[in-house]
Amino acid sequence: MPYDRGTVVKGPDLFGGSDHRPYVCVSEASHPFSDEEALYAAITTTRRAVAIPLTEADFRVGGLPKESYVNPWTVTSIRHADIVGREGHLVDTTTEQIAGEIGAYLGLDTGE
């Protein structure tokens, strides 16, 4: 799988008017067709009460140039070939928080 879980990438903007937007990879290698695509949560600069803010401390390496937030309810499958670059990699605790919130939106018991 070219992009590991927690990798922040620049991919096609499927939700707005820009050419590209950042996403965080939330898939693991068990994802069907992981050699071709992965699941990503959208990252935005729009602050929302239920979005997950990203700070410098959330990045193991790299980062984003603007104050950013993950929308765990906005998840999409993107082909690796459509990714145009890497922005960084999140620490495991932040990645797990994002995945847990996605699960909660799907009605999964997240233990909270």
Side-chain angles (χ1 to χ4, degrees):
M1 192 164 120
Y3 302 100
D4 295 336
R5 183 177 172 118
T7 303
V8 176
V9 301
K10 189 187 312 181
D13 188 354
L14 305 172
F15 308 105
S18 300
D19 289 337
H20 301 97
R21 77 160 43 246
Y23 296 88
V24 60
C25 181
V26 293
S27 290
E28 294 179 333
S30 63
H31 179 283
F33 309 106
S34 64
D35 58 331
E36 297 175 24
E37 63 188 26
L39 292 175
Y40 292 88
I43 299 175
T44 181
T45 57
T46 303
R47 179 183 296 202
R48 292 182 175 89
V50 293
I52 300 168
L54 294 177
T55 66
E56 286 183 32
D58 292 308
F59 283 86
R60 182 173 22 166
V61 296
L64 293 168
K66 297 180 180 178
E67 189 172 285
S68 299
Y69 306 86
V70 177
N71 292 340
W73 61 88
T74 308
V75 179
T76 189
S77 182
I78 302 175
R79 296 179 58 80
H80 303 312
D82 294 330
I83 301 296
V84 296
R86 294 176 198 243
E87 301 290 331
H89 201 284
L90 299 178
V91 297
D92 291 343
T93 54
T94 302
T95 303
E96 292 308 315
Q97 177 189 6
I98 294 165
E101 299 237 0
I102 291 168
Y105 281 105
L106 295 174
L108 301 176
D109 181 10
T110 60
E112 295 178 3

